Amino acid sequence: MKFNSQNDDVLLDVKDIKIQGFSDEKWHDIVKGVNLTLRRGEVMGLIGESGAGKSTLGLAAMGYTQPGCRIIGGEVNFDGTDLAQLSDVEKRSYWGNRMTYVAQSAAASFNPAHRLIEQTTASTIRAGIKTKSEAYSDAQSLYDALNLPDPNNIGIRYPHQVSGGQLQRVMTAMAMSPRPDLIVFDEPTTALDVTTQVEVLSSMRAIVEEFNTAAIYITHDLAVVAQMADVIKVLRFGEEVEEAATRQMLSHPKEAYTKSLWSVRTLEKPVRAPANSVLSLTGIDAAYGRTKVLHQVNIEVPKGSTVAVVGESGSGKSTTARVITGLLPQSAGSLKFEGKNLPPRLADRSKDQKRRIQMIYQMADTAMNPRQTVKEIIGRPLEFYLNMRGQRKTDRVIELLEMIELDEKFLERLPEELSGGQKQRICIARALAAEPDFIICDEVTSALDQIVQEGILKLLLRLQENLGLTYLFITHDISTVQAIADQVVVMNEGKVVEQGLKDDVFQAPHPAYTELLLSSVPEMDPDWLSKLTQKRSIFRS
Amino acid sequence: MGLVTLSVVSIIIFSSMELLPGDFGQAVLGQAATEETVAAFRRELGLDQSAVMRYGQWISAALQGDLGTSFSGRNASGVDRSREVIDLVVPRLRNTLFLASVAALIAVPLALILGITTALFRNSIYDRSVNIGTLTTISFPEFFVAYILILFLSSLYPVFPSLANVDSDTQFSERFYRTALPALTLTLVIVAHMMRMTRAAIINLLASPYIQMARLSGATPTEVIIKHALPNAWAPIATVIAFNLAYLVVGVVVVEVVFVYPGIGQLMVDAVSSRDIPVVQACALIFAMTYILLNLLADIIGIVTNPRLLHPK
């Protein structure tokens, strides 16, 4: 199946494809002449940062362009037909029939108004491939093959009634239902937790292998693509950087850019010896309404160190941050900052207490007022906490900008004129402006590309070195923890499962949950997923 | 919730009647009446009691279906030819509801069809002309639209009668024929709002990932709109339809006047000018109920068409 050199086995042959997108009253090049050849049964991984054109290229492989985009040159030969030349009506006979699509966010990509099984089978029935009853029973066996619970009845549910990981698998069943020749997976596991991602990945891979379906797998996560793809193509700025078989690409990347993608994961910092606690949480309980989300949480944060809180969504890590900042008063337990009790409610805290604990958020986009300039955004805490005005304030803002490796050219810019990494830097400067001792970083790098991530992490480490800051770093990404943490707290279902120095936590023996979490983090080894599923299935039986 | 709103509204109605300048006794008996006569007359009508007392009496009677007795028909001579409010209001209300139903039967399907088709062919010539057309009709005052229709469909080409004077003996088909022009006027007035909301609600959803998903699974544009966008758009559309239907019941007095149609709007205006407080209150209460009921209905439609609310996790 892999690397069959016979030409008649080529399913998809994209030649010199050029795509433009319309924004700011102008047409911009998104994809600048890329070739792509895919044989039957082959899985190609497309990787690159956001803006590399990988999703656009993936969709173009189906002959589809998003509204506001157009193909201006090249061919998309699918099984001998150039899709770029077909009318929409003609292309529709391919879509949902011979080629299908699995989208990034299953939660948003299912129609909330229809039952899952109706959506799974709609295109199969429309194309006349199967009758309704055949398609329904086939969907049930696909659900079963994808390890969905209660495969015979899950289909009558609505999208909001199943979990994100399950939805993503239902979407794979939907893509598989007409038995297409080609499936385009567009970042299908990016929105999932690591432990869920493993299950979804292995069921996707199994079913693609079973039906010998060709696939294009789009992602920015190298370790994920290593598990899925036979061939990897790296894209940047709408152009191909290089293409090679997976193993070769992982062991011997040729281009400097590809190597830099690999290097992010090697960032590591020496562990600092524990000092006195600057913040301690003792027996903290917290609840949203009647739903209790934190149970007896004890966390010690040593001064000048980084404590990483890891866990999946719903584990209570962000709630812990809300308790510390006073946004959600705890229902039991105590919170001590430098040995003194911190009032549970934000309103009861003094200005100085508020100043000393700052927070940086995941979505830099929504954490800034889009109508304020950088100067106003950073200047506000200077005014509020430190009573700075006029020239003194402006000087300090410039100083802060320099600390985050930007300069005074940014003073009058609005958030929309900044890149994702720059926005997060401005948020860091805003937190620094208050001259805090303690900063809570809530998933600050998870919305960013890997190279940008590396820059932000390095900046945070440098600032800690220079200013003696203490970080509480909330993340679900284990490689980020490796990069910056001194201490690690593992949370699950509102409880602390394990905590201690990074090396101690990462070294076996672990509690069962830590083991599950750590083993679910994809590794660059292409055999990692196979080994893991094998190990887990032995463990189960 | 609806009941709480209704009782608050009833208090507002009652107190605004209190604020109305002028006095029924004075108005009927004229400037020449002595103070004693006016006082005696007021006592007879119960107007001398405190406002809270009268509100209590009114509301408890109204709850039992008794809307009181009209003030008009009484006069200084002491002959009482007054009628029960309910007898005055019910036939008028029936007429109004008939006209509203006819207008709604034309306007709602028309608005939905136009909304869906303009969403489907958005930015086409068809879309633009429908938008311009409906906006034009909504921009003119109602009486103007009414007179234009009379001019063309009654005077120049006598298709429909210009007067819509019906009474309880009028046959159904005859009634339908006579209300054609007022119903058409109302249709022209309300279609734009509903149609544009339908179009906007659908187009708003077309950027959703699940619409792209539907396209990529080979759905035709019509299928995308009818099967994938419309089911998720019912809640806002229903709200706007309810709003316009309520308008058909409570806001049509101008059209009634133009076509001399004996509806409840005219009754209320007459009652206000003659200070016939029980009738005004009854009409206002009916209007409030109409609004509340229709909005309740829209909320129910919003819930029923949303699986997230109908089928909890």
Side-chain angles (χ1 to χ4, degrees):
Chain A
M1 141 193 147
K2 290 172 191 182
F3 286 95
N4 196 325
S5 58
Q6 279 177 318
N7 258 345
D8 55 355
D9 231 23
V10 169
L11 174 70
L12 178 73
D13 190 17
V14 178
K15 282 188 191 148
D16 196 27
I17 187 91
K18 293 191 179 88
I19 303 165
Q20 288 187 325
F22 194 77
S23 62
D24 299 333
E25 318 274 301
K26 276 197 304 266
W27 287 98
H28 300 274
D29 292 327
I30 298 178
V31 176
K32 305 163 187 166
V34 175
N35 296 310
L36 187 157
T37 307
L38 190 68
R39 293 169 183 79
R40 284 184 191 277
E42 191 177 61
V43 178
M44 173 179 284
L46 284 184
I47 64 167
E49 301 170 57
S50 51
K54 51 191 195 300
S55 289
T56 314
L57 180 62
L59 287 172
M62 298 178 70
Y64 181 87
T65 47
Q66 276 177 320
C69 291
R70 62 179 184 189
I71 297 178
I72 53 161
E75 295 171 18
V76 184
N77 293 306
F78 178 82
D79 207 13
T81 315
D82 184 3
L83 297 179
Q85 303 300 323
L86 296 185
S87 70
D88 278 357
V89 179
E90 288 166 316
K91 277 190 280 193
R92 276 201 285 277
S93 67
Y94 286 86
W95 296 338
N97 180 0
R98 298 194 58 194
M99 41 174 67
T100 53
Y101 178 74
V102 176
Q104 172 169 8
S105 163
S109 300
F110 272 103
N111 192 321
H114 301 301
R115 294 177 193 276
L116 292 173
I117 199 155
E118 289 170 23
Q119 302 193 54
T120 308
T121 56
S123 71
T124 311
I125 298 169
R126 184 190 313 113
I129 298 167
K130 293 189 176 79
T131 65
K132 187 174 170 182
S133 65
E134 280 168 2
Y136 271 43
S137 66
D138 177 60
Q140 286 165 352
S141 56
L142 285 173
Y143 293 155
D144 191 28
L146 287 159
N147 290 319
L148 282 160
D150 195 8
N152 293 334
N153 298 313
I154 195 169
I156 58 170
R157 299 191 177 203
Y158 284 94
H160 69 278
Q161 294 174 307
V162 303
S163 73
Q166 290 169 353
L167 266 188
Q168 203 69 55
R169 274 179 273 176
V170 174
M171 187 166 283
T172 308
M174 176 168 150
M176 200 47 94
S177 171
R179 297 296 182 277
D181 298 314
L182 170 69
I183 302 183
V184 176
F185 292 95
D186 194 351
E187 306 241 13
T189 60
T190 309
L192 305 177
D193 281 319
V194 273
T195 52
T196 322
Q197 172 172 278
V198 172
E199 290 161 24
V200 175
L201 280 180
S202 49
S203 30
M204 275 179 183
R205 194 173 68 171
I207 204 156
V208 169
E209 261 167 27
E210 185 184 340
F211 296 109
N212 197 25
T213 314
I216 293 177
Y217 195 98
I218 300 164
T219 179
H220 64 270
D221 190 335
L222 281 163
V224 166
V225 85
Q227 312 311 316
M228 299 296 293
D230 305 320
V231 192
I232 295 178
K233 188 193 278 290
V234 182
L235 293 176
R236 189 185 199 193
F237 304 137
E239 280 169 291
E240 178 177 325
V241 177
E242 61 177 312
E243 180 185 321
T246 302
R247 276 167 207 281
Q248 194 193 337
M249 178 72 97
L250 291 175
S251 50
H252 302 98
K254 273 189 278 199
E255 301 296 322
Y257 174 71
T258 318
K259 284 179 193 153
S260 77
L261 283 177
W262 270 234
S263 70
V264 180
R265 298 188 165 259
T266 57
L267 189 72
E268 240 180 90
K269 86 169 226 185
V271 175
R272 210 180 303 261
N276 293 336
S277 286
V278 60
L279 180 86
S280 54
L281 282 72
T282 321
I284 295 282
D285 283 359
Y288 291 114
R290 246 177 277 162
T291 329
K292 209 169 161 196
V293 281
L294 290 184
H295 310 269
Q296 289 292 311
V297 170
N298 299 309
I299 296 177
E300 295 288 325
V301 184
K303 197 170 174 58
S305 69
T306 304
V307 174
V309 181
V310 290
E312 302 177 75
S313 48
S315 62
K317 46 192 203 306
S318 289
T319 310
T320 309
R322 288 174 62 88
V323 169
I324 296 172
T325 51
L327 291 172
L328 178 76
Q330 71 265 28
S331 50
S334 74
L335 201 58
K336 280 203 169 82
F337 189 69
E338 294 193 329
K340 290 193 197 90
N341 264 328
L342 210 54
R345 275 157 36 88
L346 185 63
D348 299 334
R349 296 189 185 172
S350 70
K351 209 176 196 180
D352 196 53
Q353 281 170 329
K354 286 184 210 160
R355 177 184 68 77
R356 299 176 69 180
I357 300 179
Q358 291 293 316
M359 188 153 174
I360 309 171
Y361 299 87
Q362 176 175 11
M363 305 302 281
D365 272 320
T366 49
M368 290 189 283
N369 187 333
R371 298 203 169 246
Q372 285 184 346
T373 61
V374 166
K375 189 175 147 188
E376 288 170 297
I377 291 169
I378 303 179
R380 164 78 187 146
L382 292 176
E383 233 177 85
F384 180 74
Y385 291 117
L386 305 167
N387 235 335
M388 288 190 191
R389 316 255 169 221
Q391 191 56 40
R392 213 171 128 230
K393 186 174 94 178
T394 314
D395 290 346
R396 177 67 183 152
V397 172
I398 296 171
E399 224 175 281
L400 285 163
L401 282 174
E402 279 160 4
M403 276 161 87
I404 54 160
E405 294 152 14
L406 301 175
D407 54 43
E408 55 185 300
K409 281 194 301 239
F410 287 86
L411 277 180
E412 297 304 325
R413 292 208 194 162
L414 291 169
E416 60 176 20
E417 296 168 291
L418 304 171
S419 73
Q422 286 168 345
K423 281 181 202 162
Q424 199 54 283
R425 281 166 193 263
I426 299 297
C427 289
I428 294 173
R430 175 173 63 181
L432 290 179
E435 298 179 9
D437 304 307
F438 184 81
I439 299 184
I440 300 170
C441 307
D442 190 358
E443 302 267 9
V444 288
T445 55
S446 30
L448 302 171
D449 286 319
Q450 298 201 354
I451 290 182
V452 185
Q453 266 186 32
E454 190 188 13
I456 297 283
L457 293 179
K458 279 184 176 161
L459 171 70
L460 286 170
L461 288 179
R462 195 173 54 77
L463 290 169
Q464 181 170 46
E465 202 67 40
N466 296 347
L467 305 170
L469 296 168
T470 309
Y471 294 137
L472 184 79
F473 206 95
I474 295 168
T475 182
H476 66 270
D477 183 11
I478 306 292
S479 57
T480 312
V481 177
Q482 282 285 7
I484 75 156
D486 298 308
Q487 302 234 354
V488 178
V489 177
V490 182
M491 289 190 75
N492 184 33
E493 292 173 354
K495 297 192 186 87
V496 173
V497 179
E498 192 180 5
Q499 65 178 313
L501 289 172
K502 176 170 70 183
D503 293 347
D504 296 345
V505 172
F506 281 173
Q507 262 162 30
H510 311 289
Y513 179 74
T514 314
E515 175 64 39
L516 176 72
L517 189 69
L518 291 178
S519 68
S520 300
V521 178
E523 289 168 20
M524 296 291 258
D525 173 11
D527 298 323
W528 166 79
L529 184 62
S530 314
K531 285 183 202 155
L532 182 73
T533 29
Q534 213 174 19
K535 205 166 94 190
R536 286 194 184 169
S537 63
I538 292 168
F539 186 69
R540 256 178 231 140
S541 59
Chain B
M1 192 63 212
L3 289 179
V4 176
T5 322
L6 196 60
S7 51
V8 172
V9 168
S10 72
I11 294 175
I12 296 172
I13 293 169
F14 190 83
S15 8
S16 53
M17 287 302 112
E18 290 299 306
L19 296 174
L20 216 58
D23 175 72
F24 179 72
Q26 197 78 56
V28 167
L29 299 174
Q31 293 294 321
T34 60
E35 265 181 39
E36 290 81 46
T37 342
V38 175
F41 192 61
R42 286 171 57 90
R43 203 172 312 119
E44 190 193 332
L45 293 175
L47 288 175
D48 55 337
Q49 288 164 30
S50 79
V52 179
M53 282 283 287
R54 277 182 289 134
Y55 175 72
Q57 286 165 1
W58 172 59
I59 204 71
S60 61
L63 280 178
Q64 293 159 29
D66 175 15
L67 290 169
T69 312
S70 165
F71 283 179
S72 60
R74 297 163 191 262
N75 54 32
S77 63
V79 182
D80 189 357
R81 263 185 260 108
S82 61
R83 296 162 63 191
E84 289 291 309
V85 172
I86 207 141
D87 295 336
L88 281 171
V89 169
V90 166
R92 294 296 194 101
L93 182 64
R94 206 180 285 140
N95 287 343
T96 295
L97 289 180
F98 181 79
L99 175 59
S101 316
V102 174
L105 276 178
I106 306 171
V108 174
L110 182 69
L112 287 178
I113 290 168
L114 287 178
I116 291 168
T117 49
T118 48
L120 190 54
F121 304 109
R122 61 192 175 286
N123 302 333
S124 65
I125 305 227
Y126 168 74
D127 179 24
R128 274 155 217 239
S129 34
V130 169
N131 267 302
I132 291 173
T134 50
L135 274 181
T136 313
T137 57
I138 205 179
S139 306
F140 287 123
E142 289 161 34
F143 67 88
F144 184 78
V145 178
Y147 285 129
I148 293 284
L149 284 179
I150 290 175
L151 177 66
F152 283 101
L153 293 178
S154 188
S155 306
L156 295 178
Y157 308 97
V159 189
F160 296 115
S162 63
L163 293 184
N165 50 343
V166 295
D167 55 49
S168 53
D169 301 330
T170 320
Q171 290 283 310
F172 182 78
S173 55
E174 179 67 17
R175 211 175 242 267
F176 197 79
Y177 174 65
R178 291 202 184 168
T179 51
L181 277 189
L184 213 54
T185 311
L186 290 172
T187 300
L188 288 177
V189 172
I190 64 169
V191 132
H193 194 187
M194 295 190 287
M195 168 251 149
R196 287 173 66 82
M197 190 64 206
T198 308
R199 179 180 181 273
I202 290 175
I203 288 180
N204 192 19
L205 290 174
L206 290 183
S208 317
Y210 60 82
I211 296 294
Q212 171 167 324
M213 196 66 206
R215 288 202 185 110
L216 276 169
S217 62
T220 61
T222 320
E223 214 177 324
V224 166
I225 301 243
I226 305 281
K227 226 181 128 196
H228 293 275
L230 193 59
N232 296 295
W234 280 124
I237 295 175
T239 311
V240 168
I241 290 181
F243 180 82
N244 280 287
L245 292 187
Y247 169 80
L248 284 181
V249 176
V250 309
V252 294
V253 64
V254 174
V255 176
E256 285 175 9
V257 170
V258 171
F259 292 100
V260 202
Y261 187 78
I264 198 166
Q266 272 209 48
L267 177 69
M268 184 166 177
V269 171
D270 293 345
V272 169
S273 55
S274 64
R275 307 282 189 279
D276 193 348
I277 292 168
V279 175
V280 178
Q281 283 174 339
C283 292
L285 206 58
I286 286 169
F287 290 170
M289 267 164 66
T290 313
Y291 260 103
I292 290 166
L293 274 180
L294 285 168
N295 275 304
L296 204 64
L297 202 64
D299 285 350
I300 290 171
I301 289 176
I303 290 168
V304 169
T305 57
N306 187 343
R308 264 174 285 206
L309 300 175
L310 205 58
H311 305 271
K313 283 205 170 182

